[in-house]
Amino acid sequence: MYSGMADVAALTGDKAYIHAIDTIWHDVVDHKLYLTGGIGAEGGHEGFGPDYSLPNMSAYNETCASIGNIYWNYRLFLLHGDSKYYDVLEQVLYNGMISGVSAKGDRFFYPNPLESMGQHARSEWFGCACCPSNVCRFIPSVPGYMYATGKDRIYVNLYIQSNADINLGKNKVKLAQHTAYPWNGKIEFDVDPAKAATFDVAVRVPAWLSDAPLPGGLYNYATPEKKAYTISVNGKKADVKVENGYAIIKRSWKKGDKISVDFPMDVRYVKADDKVKADLNKAALQRGPIVYCSNGLTITISKCVTCY
Ligand SMILES: [Zn+2]
């Protein structure tokens, strides 16, 4: 419904409607979002709980809700052109959504809790099988979320090894991505426009490189990123302007041009806002877009993470 609202807001430009959908988004992202991007803390009514009520073991976080969260943030990106919606989308994609299916693709989670004493396990199927079928429908659509276009602009939103054919006005641009992302942050693009032309390539600078892995202030890194990211074109440092979370490279592009991006990926501690009582005295580990899971592992921290 929120995706539909965002589309109606975008198509009509109705300011009251845009205000309503933006307010709902802030309510979710500022108060009701798990670090994994999961939403819907309460199983009883498959819905949101009160602000900051984000229990870990009883977290509902239905796989379908994660997919819905991706749809919604995609529509809000199309409405506003701001990368913060993709910061949510990517965090959900690599964590709260993908946890809904096993690596073999044959077992599924309905709820996606953040803590377990071993009582949770993926199932082959469910009597109400919305989640497995939703995963089957969603995964093949992922390529459609990678790029977007605006006037004389290509937005690069997700980093996935791939070849794409993009219609940009009357021009056609082939864009090849070479990367092992999300395992490292090195990405190379071969840009091949049918006709040499001036346009922007807007490279999304992920929030996980900044002070917080998600917008909204619920989660902050307790450890800094030590290195800065770099973007170069044909081996030379690119002249970029950062706007709405995108590093924008404006130039005349021709066949053979190459963009090299290097996002440093350190393992970083994440702390929740103290208002999230379930996360007091707890920290999460994130590297790049991936929130890590430990299996019975005790991590000894020599220094309190809040003291870093
Ligand atoms: Zn479901």
Side-chain angles (χ1 to χ4, degrees), residues 58-140:
S58 66
Y60 197 62
N61 288 348
E62 185 177 338
T63 303
C64 287
S66 285
I67 293 172
N69 204 12
I70 289 171
Y71 291 157
W72 183 27
N73 278 280
Y74 175 61
R75 302 317 217 289
L76 285 171
F77 158 76
L78 293 177
L79 172 60
H80 292 300
D82 195 304
S83 75
K84 66 185 179 185
Y85 303 106
Y86 258 93
D87 292 328
V88 179
L89 191 158
E90 184 181 56
Q91 193 90 349
V92 188
L93 182 63
Y94 285 109
N95 300 286
M97 182 269 137
I98 204 68
S99 59
V101 57
S102 65
K104 278 189 177 169
D106 60 353
R107 296 276 191 286
F108 304 91
F109 267 142
Y110 205 115
N112 292 268
L114 278 75
E115 190 178 16
S116 180
M117 301 292 283
Q119 75 273 40
H120 303 95
R122 292 186 182 90
S123 299
E124 280 185 24
W125 202 244
F126 306 102
C128 174
C130 53
C131 297
S133 48
N134 217 346
V135 167
C136 296
R137 178 178 64 154
F138 174 72
I139 297 283

Side-chain angles (χ1 to χ4, degrees), residues 21-237:
I21 195 68
D22 287 348
T23 304
I24 294 170
W25 183 84
H26 269 290
D27 189 38
V28 172
V29 170
D30 300 1
H31 312 118
K32 298 178 173 81
L33 182 70
Y34 281 91
L35 178 61
T36 55
I39 50 169
E42 299 189 349
H45 61 108
E46 303 196 327
F48 295 105
D51 288 358
Y52 307 108
S53 175
L54 296 163
N56 291 300
M57 202 176 301
S58 66
Y60 197 62
N61 288 348
E62 185 177 338
T63 303
C64 287
S66 285
I67 293 172
N69 204 12
I70 289 171
Y71 291 157
W72 183 27
N73 278 280
Y74 175 61
R75 302 317 217 289
L76 285 171
F77 158 76
L78 293 177
L79 172 60
H80 292 300
D82 195 304
S83 75
K84 66 185 179 185
Y85 303 106
Y86 258 93
D87 292 328
V88 179
L89 191 158
E90 184 181 56
Q91 193 90 349
V92 188
L93 182 63
Y94 285 109
N95 300 286
M97 182 269 137
I98 204 68
S99 59
V101 57
S102 65
K104 278 189 177 169
D106 60 353
R107 296 276 191 286
F108 304 91
F109 267 142
Y110 205 115
N112 292 268
L114 278 75
E115 190 178 16
S116 180
M117 301 292 283
Q119 75 273 40
H120 303 95
R122 292 186 182 90
S123 299
E124 280 185 24
W125 202 244
F126 306 102
C128 174
C130 53
C131 297
S133 48
N134 217 346
V135 167
C136 296
R137 178 178 64 154
F138 174 72
I139 297 283
S141 75
V142 169
Y145 293 91
M146 291 174 58
Y147 297 105
T149 56
K151 193 179 178 312
D152 299 325
R153 175 173 293 182
I154 296 172
Y155 289 90
V156 183
N157 283 319
L158 293 176
Y159 302 105
I160 301 172
Q161 169 93 15
S162 57
N163 294 302
D165 294 293
I166 298 167
N167 293 323
L168 188 65
K170 291 197 177 112
N171 208 351
K172 285 188 192 307
V173 181
K174 282 185 186 300
L175 211 50
Q177 273 199 49
H178 310 281
T179 184
Y181 193 98
W183 309 121
N184 70 56
K186 288 187 178 16
I187 309 129
E188 293 220 324
F189 297 88
D190 297 325
V191 187
D192 179 7
K195 277 180 286 181
T198 299
F199 55 87
D200 300 342
V201 175
V203 176
R204 185 175 68 90
V205 181
W208 57 255
L209 279 164
S210 69
D211 299 333
L214 285 165
L218 265 182
Y219 305 99
N220 287 291
Y221 287 120
T223 42
E225 178 59 64
K226 296 181 201 92
K227 289 174 275 177
Y229 70 88
T230 58
I231 298 177
S232 55
V233 175
N234 300 334
K236 287 198 194 113
K237 189 172 179 291

